[in-house]
Amino acid sequence: MDYISTRGGLSISAGSAILRGIADDGGLYVPSSFPILTNELLEKMVPMDYSERAVEVLSLYLTDYTKEELKSYAEKAYSRFDGDPAPILKIDDDLYLLELFHGPTYAFKDLALTILPHLILSARQKAGEKNKTLILVATSGDTGKAAAEGFKDVEGTEIIIVYPSEGVSELQKLQMKTSEGDNVHFIGIEGNFDQAQSLVKKMFADKKINEKFEKMGYTMSSANSINWGRLAPQIVYYVSAYLDILGCEEIKLGEKINFVVPTGNFGNILSAYYAKKMGVPINKLIVASNSNDVLTEFFNNGKYDANRPFYKTMSPSMDILISSNLERLLFELSGRDFEYIKVLMKELKEKGSYAIDFEKIKDGFSGFAAYMSDEENTEEGINAFYEMYDYVLDPHTAVAANVYSDYIFDTEDKTKSVIVSTASPYKFAKDVYRCLTGNNEKDPMNALKRLHDYTMTEVPEELLELDMMPIIHDKVVKVSEAEETILSIVADKKK
Ligand SMILES: *Cc1c(COP(=O)(O)O)cnc(C)c1O
C-alpha cells in the first residue's frame, strides 16, 4: 500500500508517511486505496482479542511492516491498558457506549499513541535513518500527555509538545507538567489550540526551519492526527466495536449501526469514515460539536467559516476552529481532486473560510449528520445521563450524548447507535462535579475525590497521585516566541 498527499505529488511507503508525518506541500498523507474487509474476514475476526484485530486491520495498510512486527507492537501497546482497550457497553435498547479511556492517560488518544512510537522506531530502522526524529506536537489537552507517555525515553526521538496554557483542564495540565522522560518537553503558549496547531504546521512546511533541524541532526515528524500513524490504529476500534456488537448477537452481519463522535480536529470520526469505506456496515456518522460549532454549520450548509468567536468550554479538547483532518474527507468526497483541495486550503489559509461546491460533494454528505451542544445543554446532558443510566459522562462524551438525542428527535432513526466515549470524567472532575451537584470545588484534586465520593465510580489511580508528583515543565511563552523556544530546546539538547 502506497500513500499520497491530499495535495498531489509522488507516492511513498507507509513507513515513510509515518516518519514524515505531513507532506512537504502541506498536504496530508492518505492511502492510495482502501482495502476491503470482507464478511468472511469480519466473521473470522469476531473471536479475536483487540490486539489480534489490530494486526488484521493494520496489516492491510502498513504493508512494509511484517505481520509479526505488527503483532509485537500491538501486544506491547495494548497490554498497557486496563483490560479490554475498547470495551462496548450496552446502555439502552439501541444504544451503546464505546469506552476509549482505559489506557495510560485516560483518553482515546492512547489507542493510537501507545503503538505509534513502535511504528516510528521501526520505520527509522528500516530506512536506516541516522538523524534523530523530532516529534513536534500541538495538543488541545489529551494528545500531549498521551504522546509524552508513548514517546518517553524512546531511543532516537525527542518530543516537543505545545499546548494552550489556559485552554486545557487543570488535571490535563497537571498530567502534562509532571510528565517524565529526558526526551520530553512541554511549552505552554498564551494562545489557543488553533494557534498551536498552525505554528506546528507552519514549521513543518518551512524549508529553512527543516534545514536548521537537519544541521542539528534532527528530522521532524508529528504525533498529531495529521500523521497517518494516528489514524490507522483508530480505525481498529470502529471495526472492533462492530465485531463486539455482532459477537453478542445484538445485530446480524451486514446490519448497519451509527457512530456518534465528539469531534475537534476531525481525526477520530475520520477513522470511522475509513472503517465504513473498508466495508464495516455503518449507517450514519454523527458529528458532535460543542459551542465551537464550525463543523455543524459545514455539514449542514457546505460553508466552512472559522471567522467566528472562539469559546472556551468544559470540553476543551474540542475547542478547535480549524479541523485539520477535514482535508482528508474532502479529498475523498471530491473524488480525490487534489487541485480542488489546494484551492480550498488556500482559501482557508487566506480568508479563514471556504464554501464547497455542494453539487460535487453532496452525495458524500449523506453519510453524515451534524449537531452541536452548548455548555448549558452539555451540563444538562451530564445530569440526565447520570439520572437515567447511573453513568458518569465526561463533558466531551456528554456533547455526543446530547447530539445523539437531537439526531433521534429529528430523524426517529431506529438504527442501533454507538456513542464514542473519549475520556474519563475524572480528567474534567471540577466541571463534572459542578454539573452533578451544583457545588464549585476550586481545587482540582479535591474535585477528583469529591466526584468519587459522590458517584462511587472508580478513580484512575495515577490522577489521584498527581499532586504528589514534582512539576517538571512550567515554560509558558507568547505565541510569537514559541518557534524560537522550540529551536532553542533542540539546540540545547544538541550540546
Ligand atoms: C481529542 C479529543 C476529542 C476530539 O477528537 P478529534 O480527533 O480531534 O476530533 C474529543 N474528546 C476528547 C476527550 C479528546 O481528547
Side-chain angles (χ1 to χ4, degrees):
M1 176 77 67
D2 281 342
Y3 290 77
I4 51 173
S5 160
T6 47
R7 301 188 195 175
L10 297 174
S11 54
I12 61 173
S13 70
S16 311
I18 289 172
L19 262 190
R20 288 200 206 172
I22 188 167
D24 293 341
D25 57 10
L28 306 179
Y29 286 116
V30 290
S32 55
S33 65
F34 286 93
I36 296 296
L37 293 168
T38 58
N39 281 353
E40 232 180 331
L41 183 53
L42 285 173
E43 253 173 345
K44 194 183 111 188
M45 287 167 74
V46 171
M48 293 181 180
D49 71 14
Y50 192 82
S51 290
E52 292 167 326
R53 289 170 179 176
V55 174
E56 289 301 321
V57 174
L58 293 178
S59 62
L60 299 171
Y61 286 106
L62 311 180
T63 45
D64 42 349
Y65 298 79
T66 65
K67 261 196 164 175
E68 285 66 39
E69 286 172 331
L70 292 173
K71 182 166 178 277
S72 110
Y73 309 151
E75 281 170 1
K76 279 186 202 142
Y78 299 121
S79 67
R80 298 190 59 194
F81 285 67
D82 184 12
D84 185 346
I88 275 276
L89 191 73
K90 183 166 181 173
I91 195 117
D92 209 337
D93 277 350
D94 294 321
L95 187 60
Y96 307 81
L97 283 171
L98 173 59
E99 290 185 342
L100 298 179
F101 52 78
H102 298 289
T105 74
Y106 318 114
F108 87 86
K109 310 297 200 287
D110 287 326
L111 276 293
L113 283 165
T114 46
I115 194 166
L116 180 65
H118 297 290
L119 298 175
I120 287 191
L121 198 61
S122 163
R124 283 174 51 82
Q125 283 159 358
K126 286 180 202 291
E129 177 72 60
K130 293 203 176 56
N131 275 354
K132 283 180 114 188
T133 302
L134 173 64
I135 318 268
L136 203 51
V137 180
T139 179
S140 57
D142 286 329
T143 297
K145 176 63 186 178
E149 268 312 299
F151 282 96
K152 77 173 173 209
D153 300 323
V154 170
E155 157 204 338
T157 69
E158 207 65 48
I159 176 160
I160 302 179
I161 300 155
V162 185
Y163 68 96
S165 175
E166 298 309 316
V168 299
S169 87
E170 281 168 289
L171 287 167
Q172 284 179 317
K173 202 194 288 193
L174 211 50
Q175 274 189 305
M176 292 194 275
K177 289 171 103 171
T178 55
S179 288
E180 293 169 343
D182 282 344
N183 62 338
V184 174
H185 314 269
F186 280 91
I187 304 171
I189 54 161
E190 295 170 3
N192 59 36
F193 171 76
D194 288 315
Q195 288 167 304
Q197 173 161 258
S198 104
L199 166 85
V200 165
K201 279 179 125 182
K202 191 184 135 267
M203 290 183 73
F204 273 109
D206 188 328
K207 284 218 168 60
K208 282 215 184 92
I209 299 257
N210 279 280
E211 277 163 18
K212 273 190 198 165
F213 284 138
E214 291 288 332
K215 269 205 196 116
M216 294 191 271
Y218 289 89
T219 305
M220 272 199 272
S221 185
S222 165
N224 281 107
S225 54
I226 52 179
N227 192 325
W228 176 252
R230 279 280 304 278
L231 295 182
Q234 290 177 182
I235 299 172
V236 176
Y237 51 75
Y238 288 102
V239 178
S240 181
Y242 189 85
L243 296 173
D244 280 347
I245 298 173
L246 181 67
C248 300
E249 299 180 355
E250 299 269 313
I251 49 173
K252 292 198 194 68
L253 184 57
E255 186 177 337
K256 291 183 176 177
I257 61 174
N258 299 320
F259 283 103
V260 194
V261 188
T263 301
N265 219 4
F266 209 73
N268 197 351
I269 196 162
L270 183 73
S271 292
Y273 171 77
Y274 288 154
K276 185 176 179 178
K277 274 188 102 59
M278 295 176 77
V280 177
I282 294 173
N283 175 40
K284 292 277 182 190
L285 295 173
I286 303 165
V287 186
S289 298
N290 66 19
S291 306
N292 297 295
D293 57 350
V294 58
L295 288 168
T296 316
E297 190 176 295
F298 177 69
F299 279 98
N300 287 300
N301 68 14
K303 292 195 181 67
Y304 195 95
D305 189 359
N307 303 308
R308 61 176 65 225
F310 175 85
Y311 298 106
K312 273 199 217 175
T313 72
M314 56 180 161
S315 46
S317 298
M318 295 154 70
D319 290 347
I320 296 178
L321 293 178
I322 308 279
S323 297
S324 286
N325 277 299
L326 196 60
E327 176 168 347
R328 284 185 165 117
L329 179 71
L330 292 169
F331 182 68
E332 300 305 329
L333 298 187
S334 66
R336 303 202 139 197
D337 184 347
F338 49 77
E339 292 301 337
Y340 183 58
I341 298 300
K342 280 194 225 168
V343 173
L344 293 182
M345 292 304 125
K346 189 158 173 270
E347 276 181 48
L348 181 64
K349 199 169 171 192
E350 286 168 4
K351 298 193 303 194
S353 68
Y354 59 83
I356 49 155
D357 182 345
F358 211 68
E359 284 309 305
K360 210 177 163 98
I361 304 269
K362 73 170 188 259
D363 282 352
F365 266 26
S366 64
F368 290 88
Y371 295 84
M372 68 87 85
S373 168
D374 66 15
E375 290 294 270
E376 206 183 318
N377 282 324
T378 303
E379 177 166 347
E380 279 168 19
I382 290 174
N383 284 318
F385 219 81
Y386 187 59
E387 255 170 50
M388 237 186 316
Y389 303 118
D390 203 20
Y391 187 94
V392 187
L393 293 173
D394 104 278
H396 305 74
T397 311
V399 166
N402 278 351
V403 160
Y404 169 73
S405 306
D406 287 350
Y407 170 76
I408 294 300
F409 184 82
D410 263 10
T411 61
E412 294 179 21
D413 185 359
K414 297 277 186 288
T415 310
K416 292 190 167 57
S417 296
V418 178
I419 295 174
V420 178
S421 179
T422 48
S424 159
Y426 283 101
K427 291 191 93 163
F428 309 93
K430 250 170 78 168
D431 283 316
V432 174
Y433 181 66
R434 180 181 47 75
C435 292
L436 288 176
T437 65
N439 296 334
N440 245 327
E441 171 52 66
K442 285 219 173 64
D443 180 73
M445 296 306 296
N446 284 341
L448 205 65
K449 289 166 199 141
R450 286 180 192 259
L451 181 60
H452 167 71
D453 291 343
Y454 185 75
T455 62
M456 293 313 286
T457 50
E458 206 180 322
V459 195
E461 205 133 299
E462 275 171 38
L463 292 183
L464 275 176
E465 291 160 6
L466 274 178
D467 60 348
M468 290 177 308
M469 308 270 292
I471 301 285
I472 300 174
H473 313 275
D474 56 5
K475 208 174 269 158
V476 178
V477 304
K478 294 201 171 60
V479 178
S480 58
E481 298 163 354
E483 186 176 303
E484 258 329 294
T485 311
I486 292 169
L487 284 164
S488 72
I489 287 175
V490 180
D492 280 352
K493 272 312 256 208
K494 187 71 184 108
K495 276 177 206 156

